Structure formats: C-alpha cells, structure tokens
Coordinates of all heavy atoms in Angstrom, one line a residue:
A30 N 13.2 -1.5 -8.8 CA 11.9 -1.9 -9.4 C 10.9 -0.7 -9.4 O 10.1 -0.6 -10.3 CB 11.4 -3.1 -8.8
E31 N 11.0 0.1 -8.3 CA 10.0 1.1 -8.1 C 10.0 2.2 -9.2 O 9.0 2.5 -9.7 CB 10.2 1.8 -6.8 CG 9.0 2.8 -6.5 CD 9.0 3.3 -5.0 OE1 9.8 2.8 -4.2 OE2 8.2 4.1 -4.8
P32 N 11.2 2.6 -9.7 CA 11.2 3.6 -10.8 C 10.6 3.0 -12.0 O 9.8 3.7 -12.8 CB 12.7 3.9 -11.0 CG 13.3 3.6 -9.7 CD 12.6 2.5 -9.1
A33 N 10.8 1.8 -12.3 CA 10.2 1.1 -13.5 C 8.7 1.0 -13.4 O 8.0 1.2 -14.4 CB 10.8 -0.3 -13.7
L34 N 8.2 0.7 -12.2 CA 6.7 0.7 -12.0 C 6.1 2.0 -12.1 O 5.1 2.2 -12.8 CB 6.4 0.1 -10.6 CG 6.8 -1.3 -10.3 CD1 6.7 -1.7 -8.9 CD2 5.9 -2.2 -11.1
K35 N 6.7 3.1 -11.6 CA 6.2 4.4 -11.7 C 6.2 4.9 -13.2 O 5.3 5.5 -13.6 CB 7.0 5.4 -10.9 CG 6.8 5.2 -9.4 CD 7.6 6.2 -8.6 CE 7.3 6.1 -7.1 NZ 8.0 7.1 -6.3
K36 N 7.2 4.5 -13.9 CA 7.3 4.8 -15.3 C 6.2 4.1 -16.1 O 5.5 4.7 -16.9 CB 8.7 4.4 -15.9 CG 8.9 4.7 -17.4 CD 10.2 4.3 -17.9 CE 10.3 4.6 -19.4 NZ 11.4 3.9 -20.0
A37 N 6.0 2.8 -15.8 CA 4.9 2.1 -16.5 C 3.6 2.7 -16.2 O 2.7 2.8 -17.1 CB 5.0 0.6 -16.0
V38 N 3.3 3.1 -15.0 CA 2.0 3.7 -14.6 C 1.9 5.0 -15.4 O 0.8 5.3 -16.0 CB 1.9 3.9 -13.1 CG1 0.7 4.8 -12.8 CG2 1.8 2.6 -12.4
A39 N 2.9 5.8 -15.5 CA 2.9 7.1 -16.2 C 2.6 6.8 -17.7 O 1.9 7.6 -18.4 CB 4.2 7.8 -16.0
E40 N 3.2 5.8 -18.3 CA 3.0 5.5 -19.7 C 1.6 5.0 -20.0 O 1.1 5.2 -21.1 CB 4.0 4.4 -20.1 CG 5.4 4.9 -20.2 CD 6.5 3.8 -20.5 OE1 6.1 2.6 -20.6 OE2 7.6 4.2 -20.6
F41 N 0.9 4.4 -19.0 CA -0.5 4.1 -19.3 C -1.3 5.3 -19.5 O -2.3 5.3 -20.2 CB -1.1 3.3 -18.1 CG -0.9 1.8 -18.2 CD1 0.1 1.2 -17.4 CD2 -1.6 1.1 -19.0 CE1 0.3 -0.2 -17.5 CE2 -1.5 -0.3 -19.1 CZ -0.5 -0.9 -18.3
N42 N -1.0 6.4 -18.8 CA -1.7 7.7 -18.9 C -3.2 7.4 -18.7 O -4.0 7.9 -19.5 CB -1.4 8.4 -20.2 CG -1.9 9.8 -20.2 OD1 -1.9 10.4 -19.2 ND2 -2.2 10.3 -21.4
D43 N -3.5 6.6 -17.7 CA -4.9 6.3 -17.4 C -5.2 6.6 -15.9 O -4.5 6.0 -15.1 CB -5.1 4.8 -17.7 CG -6.5 4.3 -17.5 OD1 -7.3 5.0 -16.8 OD2 -6.9 3.2 -18.0
P44 N -6.1 7.4 -15.6 CA -6.4 7.8 -14.2 C -6.8 6.6 -13.4 O -6.8 6.7 -12.2 CB -7.5 8.8 -14.3 CG -8.1 8.6 -15.6 CD -7.1 8.1 -16.5
K45 N -7.2 5.5 -14.0 CA -7.6 4.3 -13.3 C -6.4 3.4 -12.9 O -6.6 2.4 -12.2 CB -8.6 3.5 -14.1 CG -9.9 4.2 -14.3 CD -10.9 3.4 -15.1 CE -12.1 4.1 -15.4 NZ -13.0 3.4 -16.2
V46 N -5.2 3.8 -13.4 CA -4.0 3.0 -13.1 C -3.1 3.8 -12.1 O -2.8 5.0 -12.4 CB -3.2 2.7 -14.4 CG1 -1.9 1.9 -14.0 CG2 -4.1 1.9 -15.3
S47 N -2.7 3.2 -11.0 CA -1.9 3.9 -10.1 C -0.9 3.0 -9.4 O -1.0 1.7 -9.6 CB -2.7 4.7 -9.0 OG -3.5 3.8 -8.3
Y48 N -0.1 3.5 -8.6 CA 0.9 2.7 -7.9 C 1.0 3.2 -6.4 O 1.0 4.4 -6.2 CB 2.3 2.9 -8.6 CG 3.5 2.3 -7.8 CD1 3.7 1.0 -7.7 CD2 4.3 3.1 -7.0 CE1 4.7 0.4 -7.0 CE2 5.3 2.6 -6.3 CZ 5.5 1.3 -6.3 OH 6.6 0.7 -5.6
L49 N 1.0 2.2 -5.5 CA 1.2 2.5 -4.1 C 2.4 1.8 -3.6 O 2.4 0.5 -3.6 CB -0.1 2.1 -3.4 CG 0.0 2.1 -1.8 CD1 0.2 3.5 -1.3 CD2 -1.2 1.5 -1.2
H50 N 3.4 2.5 -3.1 CA 4.5 1.8 -2.5 C 4.1 1.4 -1.1 O 3.6 2.1 -0.3 CB 5.7 2.8 -2.4 CG 6.8 2.3 -1.6 ND1 7.7 1.4 -2.1 CD2 7.2 2.5 -0.3 CE1 8.6 1.0 -1.1 NE2 8.3 1.7 0.0
L51 N 4.4 0.1 -0.8 CA 4.1 -0.4 0.5 C 5.5 -0.7 1.2 O 6.3 -1.4 0.6 CB 3.3 -1.7 0.4 CG 1.9 -1.5 -0.1 CD1 1.2 -2.9 -0.3 CD2 1.1 -0.7 0.8
P52 N 5.7 -0.2 2.4 CA 7.0 -0.4 3.1 C 7.1 -1.9 3.3 O 6.2 -2.6 3.6 CB 6.8 0.3 4.4 CG 5.7 1.3 4.2 CD 4.8 0.7 3.1
S53 N 8.3 -2.4 3.3 CA 8.6 -3.8 3.5 C 8.4 -4.1 5.0 O 8.6 -3.4 5.9 CB 10.1 -4.0 3.2 OG 10.5 -5.3 3.6
M54 N 7.9 -5.3 5.2 CA 7.6 -5.8 6.5 C 9.0 -5.9 7.3 O 9.0 -5.9 8.5 CB 6.9 -7.1 6.6 CG 7.8 -8.3 6.0 SD 6.9 -9.8 6.2 CE 8.1 -10.9 5.6
Y55 N 10.1 -6.0 6.6 CA 11.4 -6.1 7.2 C 11.8 -4.8 7.8 O 12.8 -4.8 8.6 CB 12.4 -6.6 6.2 CG 12.1 -8.0 5.7 CD1 11.7 -8.3 4.4 CD2 12.2 -9.1 6.6 CE1 11.3 -9.5 4.0 CE2 11.9 -10.4 6.1 CZ 11.5 -10.6 4.9 OH 11.2 -11.9 4.4
E56 N 11.1 -3.7 7.5 CA 11.4 -2.5 8.2 C 10.8 -2.5 9.6 O 11.1 -1.6 10.4 CB 10.8 -1.3 7.4 CG 11.5 -1.1 6.1 CD 10.8 0.0 5.2 OE1 10.3 0.9 5.8 OE2 10.9 -0.1 4.0
Y57 N 10.0 -3.4 9.9 CA 9.3 -3.6 11.2 C 9.6 -4.9 11.8 O 9.0 -5.9 11.3 CB 7.8 -3.4 11.0 CG 7.4 -2.1 10.3 CD1 7.3 -2.1 8.9 CD2 7.1 -1.0 11.1 CE1 7.0 -0.9 8.3 CE2 6.8 0.2 10.4 CZ 6.7 0.3 9.1 OH 6.4 1.4 8.4
K58 N 10.5 -5.0 12.7 CA 11.0 -6.3 13.2 C 9.9 -7.2 13.8 O 10.0 -8.4 13.8 CB 12.1 -6.1 14.2 CG 13.3 -5.4 13.7 CD 14.0 -6.2 12.6 CE 15.2 -5.4 12.0 NZ 15.6 -5.9 10.8
D59 N 8.8 -6.6 14.3 CA 7.8 -7.4 14.9 C 6.7 -7.8 14.0 O 5.6 -8.2 14.4 CB 7.2 -6.6 16.1 CG 6.5 -5.3 15.7 OD1 6.8 -4.7 14.6 OD2 5.7 -4.8 16.5
E60 N 7.0 -7.7 12.7 CA 6.0 -8.0 11.7 C 6.4 -9.2 10.8 O 5.7 -9.6 9.8 CB 5.6 -6.8 10.7 CG 5.0 -5.7 11.5 CD 4.4 -4.6 10.6 OE1 4.5 -4.8 9.4 OE2 3.9 -3.6 11.1
I61 N 7.4 -9.9 11.2 CA 7.9 -11.0 10.4 C 7.4 -12.3 11.1 O 7.7 -12.6 12.3 CB 9.5 -11.0 10.3 CG1 9.9 -9.7 9.7 CG2 9.9 -12.3 9.6 CD1 11.4 -9.5 9.8
G62 N 6.7 -13.1 10.3 CA 6.1 -14.3 10.9 C 7.0 -15.5 10.5 O 8.1 -15.4 10.2
G63 N 6.3 -16.7 10.5 CA 7.0 -17.9 10.2 C 7.6 -18.0 8.8 O 7.0 -17.5 7.8
N64 N 8.8 -18.5 8.7 CA 9.5 -18.7 7.4 C 9.6 -17.4 6.6 O 9.6 -17.3 5.4 CB 8.8 -19.7 6.5 CG 8.9 -21.1 7.1 OD1 10.0 -21.4 7.7 ND2 7.9 -21.9 6.9
G65 N 9.7 -16.2 7.3 CA 9.9 -14.9 6.7 C 8.6 -14.4 6.1 O 8.7 -13.4 5.3
H66 N 7.5 -14.9 6.4 CA 6.2 -14.4 5.8 C 5.7 -13.3 6.7 O 6.0 -13.3 7.9 CB 5.2 -15.5 5.7 CG 5.5 -16.5 4.6 ND1 5.3 -16.3 3.3 CD2 6.1 -17.7 4.8 CE1 5.8 -17.4 2.6 NE2 6.3 -18.3 3.5
P67 N 4.8 -12.4 6.2 CA 4.2 -11.4 7.1 C 3.3 -12.0 8.1 O 2.6 -13.0 7.8 CB 3.5 -10.5 6.1 CG 3.3 -11.2 4.8 CD 4.4 -12.3 4.8
N68 N 3.2 -11.4 9.3 CA 2.3 -11.9 10.3 C 1.1 -11.1 10.3 O 0.9 -10.2 9.5 CB 3.0 -11.9 11.7 CG 3.4 -10.6 12.2 OD1 2.9 -9.5 11.7 ND2 4.3 -10.5 13.2
A69 N 0.2 -11.3 11.2 CA -1.1 -10.6 11.3 C -0.9 -9.1 11.4 O -1.7 -8.3 10.8 CB -2.0 -11.2 12.4
K70 N 0.0 -8.7 12.2 CA 0.3 -7.3 12.4 C 0.7 -6.6 11.1 O 0.3 -5.5 10.8 CB 1.4 -7.1 13.5 CG 1.6 -5.7 13.9 CD 2.5 -5.6 15.1 CE 2.6 -4.1 15.5 NZ 3.5 -4.0 16.7
S71 N 1.5 -7.3 10.3 CA 2.0 -6.8 9.0 C 0.8 -6.6 8.1 O 0.6 -5.6 7.4 CB 3.0 -7.7 8.4 OG 3.5 -7.2 7.2
H72 N -0.1 -7.7 8.1 CA -1.2 -7.6 7.2 C -2.2 -6.5 7.6 O -2.7 -5.8 6.7 CB -2.0 -8.9 7.2 CG -1.3 -10.0 6.5 ND1 -1.2 -10.0 5.1 CD2 -0.8 -11.2 6.9 CE1 -0.5 -11.1 4.7 NE2 -0.3 -11.8 5.8
A73 N -2.4 -6.3 8.9 CA -3.2 -5.2 9.4 C -2.7 -3.8 9.0 O -3.4 -2.9 8.5 CB -3.4 -5.3 10.9
R74 N -1.4 -3.6 9.2 CA -0.8 -2.3 8.8 C -0.9 -2.1 7.3 O -1.3 -1.0 6.9 CB 0.7 -2.3 9.2 CG 1.4 -1.0 8.8 CD 2.9 -1.0 9.1 NE 3.6 -2.2 8.5 CZ 4.0 -2.2 7.2 NH1 3.7 -1.3 6.4 NH2 4.6 -3.3 6.8
T75 N -0.6 -3.1 6.5 CA -0.7 -3.0 5.1 C -2.2 -2.7 4.6 O -2.4 -1.8 3.8 CB -0.2 -4.2 4.4 OG1 1.2 -4.4 4.8 CG2 -0.3 -4.1 2.9
A76 N -3.1 -3.4 5.3 CA -4.5 -3.2 4.9 C -5.0 -1.7 5.2 O -5.7 -1.1 4.4 CB -5.4 -4.1 5.7
K77 N -4.5 -1.2 6.3 CA -4.8 0.2 6.6 C -4.3 1.2 5.6 O -4.9 2.1 5.1 CB -4.3 0.6 8.0 CG -5.1 0.0 9.1 CD -4.5 0.4 10.5 CE -5.3 -0.3 11.6 NZ -4.7 0.0 12.9
L78 N -3.0 0.9 5.1 CA -2.4 1.8 4.1 C -3.2 1.7 2.8 O -3.4 2.7 2.1 CB -1.0 1.4 3.9 CG 0.0 1.7 5.0 CD1 1.4 1.0 4.7 CD2 0.1 3.2 5.2
V79 N -3.5 0.5 2.4 CA -4.3 0.2 1.1 C -5.7 0.9 1.2 O -6.1 1.5 0.3 CB -4.3 -1.3 0.8 CG1 -5.2 -1.5 -0.4 CG2 -2.9 -1.8 0.5
A80 N -6.4 0.7 2.3 CA -7.7 1.3 2.5 C -7.6 2.8 2.4 O -8.5 3.4 1.7 CB -8.3 0.8 3.8
K81 N -6.7 3.4 3.1 CA -6.5 4.9 3.0 C -6.2 5.3 1.6 O -6.8 6.3 1.1 CB -5.3 5.3 3.9 CG -5.1 6.8 4.0 CD -4.0 7.1 5.0 CE -3.7 8.6 5.0 NZ -2.6 8.9 6.0
Y82 N -5.4 4.6 0.9 CA -5.1 4.9 -0.5 C -6.3 4.8 -1.4 O -6.6 5.7 -2.2 CB -4.0 4.0 -1.0 CG -3.5 4.4 -2.4 CD1 -2.7 5.5 -2.6 CD2 -3.7 3.5 -3.5 CE1 -2.2 5.8 -3.8 CE2 -3.2 3.9 -4.7 CZ -2.4 5.0 -4.9 OH -2.0 5.3 -6.1
I83 N -7.1 3.8 -1.3 CA -8.3 3.6 -2.1 C -9.3 4.7 -1.8 O -9.9 5.2 -2.7 CB -8.9 2.2 -1.8 CG1 -8.0 1.1 -2.4 CG2 -10.3 2.1 -2.4 CD1 -8.3 -0.3 -2.1
K84 N -9.5 5.0 -0.5 CA -10.4 6.1 -0.1 C -10.0 7.4 -0.8 O -10.8 8.2 -1.3 CB -10.4 6.3 1.4 CG -11.1 5.2 2.1 CD -11.0 5.3 3.6 CE -11.5 4.1 4.3 NZ -11.3 4.2 5.8
K85 N -8.7 7.7 -0.8 CA -8.2 8.9 -1.5 C -8.5 8.9 -3.0 O -8.9 9.9 -3.5 CB -6.7 9.0 -1.2 CG -6.0 10.2 -1.8 CD -4.5 10.3 -1.5 CE -3.9 11.4 -2.3 NZ -2.4 11.4 -2.1
L86 N -8.2 7.7 -3.6 CA -8.5 7.6 -5.0 C -10.0 7.8 -5.3 O -10.3 8.4 -6.4 CB -8.1 6.2 -5.6 CG -6.6 6.0 -5.6 CD1 -6.3 4.5 -6.1 CD2 -5.9 6.9 -6.6
C87 N -10.8 7.4 -4.4 CA -12.3 7.4 -4.7 C -12.9 8.7 -4.2 O -14.1 9.0 -4.3 CB -13.0 6.3 -4.0 SG -12.5 4.7 -4.7
G88 N -12.1 9.6 -3.6 CA -12.6 10.8 -3.0 C -13.4 10.7 -1.8 O -14.3 11.5 -1.6
V89 N -13.2 9.6 -1.0 CA -14.0 9.4 0.2 C -13.2 10.0 1.3 O -12.0 9.6 1.5 CB -14.2 7.9 0.4 CG1 -14.9 7.6 1.7 CG2 -15.0 7.3 -0.8
S90 N -13.8 10.8 2.2 CA -13.1 11.3 3.3 C -13.0 10.2 4.4 O -13.9 9.4 4.5 CB -13.8 12.6 3.9 OG -15.0 12.2 4.6
A91 N -12.0 10.3 5.2 CA -11.8 9.3 6.2 C -12.9 9.4 7.2 O -13.3 8.4 7.9 CB -10.5 9.5 6.9
R92 N -13.5 10.5 7.4 CA -14.6 10.7 8.4 C -15.9 10.0 7.9 O -16.7 9.6 8.8 CB -14.9 12.1 8.7 CG -13.7 12.8 9.4 CD -14.1 14.2 9.7 NE -12.9 14.9 10.3 CZ -12.6 16.1 10.1 NH1 -13.4 16.9 9.4 NH2 -11.6 16.6 10.7
S93 N -16.1 9.9 6.6 CA -17.4 9.3 6.2 C -17.4 7.8 6.1 O -18.4 7.2 5.9 CB -17.7 9.9 4.8 OG -16.7 9.4 3.8
V94 N -16.3 7.2 6.4 CA -16.2 5.7 6.4 C -15.7 5.3 7.8 O -14.7 5.7 8.3 CB -15.2 5.2 5.3 CG1 -15.1 3.7 5.4 CG2 -15.6 5.7 4.0
K95 N -16.5 4.4 8.4 CA -16.1 3.8 9.7 C -15.0 2.7 9.5 O -15.2 2.0 8.5 CB -17.3 3.2 10.4 CG -18.3 4.3 10.9 CD -19.4 3.7 11.6 CE -20.4 4.7 12.1 NZ -21.5 4.1 12.9
S96 N -14.0 2.7 10.3 CA -13.0 1.7 10.2 C -13.0 0.7 11.3 O -13.7 0.9 12.3 CB -11.6 2.3 10.1 OG -11.4 3.2 11.1

C-alpha cells in the first residue's frame, strides 16, 4: 500500500499534500493494548512522530516549540 500512497501524493503535485509512514505498533511488543488496539504508549510515540513531522512541514524548529 505504501508505494501506491507515495505515488498518489506525487500525482497531486501539491506541496500541501504529503505522506508520513508510521511504524506499526506490532513492531513494539509493549504497545499492543486490548483486542489488538494501540495502548497509551503507542499513541504517545505516534503523536511525537506526527508532531515532529508537522513541525518540519511548517518550518518550525524543535527548539522554538516546547513539548
């Protein structure tokens, strides 16, 4: 699915459209919650990755934003 997503983003040719690959929670054994859903640790890790990506897209340095 990832190659198709990257291709679709490229076809948009719009700087406002991008793709961020997020590692599966299954790569981290301590991030699987009830019924195979992500737990709080998984959500926190993913939130940090997404926040870092958004900061990069917006040209915000990590030092200028408190986390």
